[in-house]
Amino acid sequence: MQQHQQHRQPELAEGNLPVFVFPTELVFYADEQSSHKQVLTLYNPYEFALKFKVLCTAPNKYTVVDSTGAVKPQCCVDIVIRHRDVRPCHYGVYDKFRLQVSEQSQRKALGRKEVTATLRPSASQEPPSLRAQDEERRIKEQFADSEFFEQTAFQTESRPVAGGPSLLTVLLGLVCMIALMLPTLGEQESTVPVYLHLSVNKKLVAAYVLGLLTMVILRT
């Protein structure tokens, strides 16, 4: 264990710790009130707790909930971001959020992840050519140097990433089990209707999916 920590610590000190955030792009639409509120989810897959801080290139345009806080090991936190200035003069402007993480016992940032944010007039009036141009601009903005500022912090508790298998996972597993119990295509001595007979390939797929679901359930 001590040897493992000695190998890990220099890597963390260099600030190369991968930061897992979803999504990596925020798109707000001026004519859709529901889109003015977006959620960033910060994941901590590591065995140690992380502190985080959210910075922004245009803090006056946004309200950020949970701009600072902590994430327990193998947990995640939702960071709510609201766009509060949807005037036409901000259409097409790319802003950036930077999420910095560090260990609880350290001040130096161990890793960071940047997320772009842009305001558009309307989702329904957006031609494909404009989307291609926006994607090119977004990529350029990601690699451009920017000045970041702190946001006001509002604290909430972190929540576990997974507390057990979901209902959808269980139902899908039951479907796969039923599929494996059905007769194979070509069996003659069966009271099950012919249209419920499955081919060998379909049963192999069901067995494969059931195996994956079993692994997911065991990990949760």
Side-chain angles (χ1 to χ4, degrees):
M1 180 64 69
Q2 292 180 354
Q3 184 178 4
H4 174 71
Q5 291 178 347
Q6 289 176 356
H7 286 298
R8 189 194 70 173
Q9 192 65 27
E11 180 184 358
L12 296 180
E14 293 174 1
N16 294 326
L17 186 74
V19 179
F20 299 93
V21 181
F22 182 83
T24 57
E25 178 186 11
L26 301 177
V27 180
F28 303 88
Y29 295 101
D31 65 343
E32 293 185 14
Q33 183 69 29
S34 60
S35 74
H36 297 176
K37 176 184 174 181
Q38 304 276 348
V39 177
L40 283 177
T41 302
L42 173 63
Y43 298 89
N44 178 12
Y46 304 106
E47 300 295 332
F48 51 91
L50 289 176
K51 294 188 301 183
F52 71 89
K53 178 186 293 186
V54 181
L55 307 175
C56 182
T57 56
N60 294 332
K61 293 164 60 175
Y62 303 92
T63 298
V64 180
V65 181
D66 294 327
S67 62
T68 62
V71 196
K72 297 177 182 178
Q74 299 181 349
C75 290
C76 64
V77 292
D78 290 335
I79 304 169
V80 178
I81 297 178
R82 294 185 177 90
H83 203 305
R84 59 184 185 182
D85 192 350
V86 293
R87 291 177 296 169
C89 61
H90 297 309
Y91 291 171
V93 177
Y94 276 90
D95 302 315
K96 288 194 288 187
F97 291 92
R98 173 180 290 173
L99 285 87
Q100 295 183 173
V101 300
S102 60
E103 278 192 290
Q104 295 260 5
S105 58
Q106 296 185 4
R107 294 184 178 181
K108 184 177 180 180
L110 301 179
R112 68 184 187 184
K113 183 75 173 182
E114 293 183 359
V115 177
T116 59
T118 183
L119 174 67
R120 298 174 182 173
S122 173
S124 59
Q125 301 176 0
E126 195 173 76
S129 58
L130 181 59
R131 295 179 185 176
Q133 295 175 4
D134 282 348
E135 180 64 18
E136 184 178 354
R137 287 182 56 194
R138 185 182 70 84
I139 294 175
K140 290 181 179 179
E141 287 290 338
Q142 279 186 326
F143 292 97
D145 293 332
S146 303
E147 186 176 3
F148 290 85
F149 304 92
E150 293 189 10
Q151 293 276 354
T152 303
F154 299 90
Q155 304 291 335
T156 61
E157 295 183 357
S158 60
R159 58 179 174 83
V161 174
S166 65
L167 179 60
L168 179 61
T169 301
V170 175
L171 291 177
L172 188 57
L174 290 176
V175 170
C176 292
M177 293 177 63
I178 294 173
L180 292 174
M181 296 173 63
L182 290 173
T184 306
L185 193 64
E187 289 186 12
Q188 301 298 329
E189 299 179 358
S190 176
T191 58
V192 179
V194 179
Y195 63 84
L196 290 178
H197 290 207
L198 300 180
S199 65
V200 175
N201 289 337
K202 289 182 178 179
K203 286 199 170 187
L204 288 175
V205 172
Y208 177 74
V209 173
L210 184 60
L212 291 179
L213 293 175
T214 303
M215 292 177 61
V216 171
I217 293 174
L218 290 176
R219 289 180 179 178
T220 57

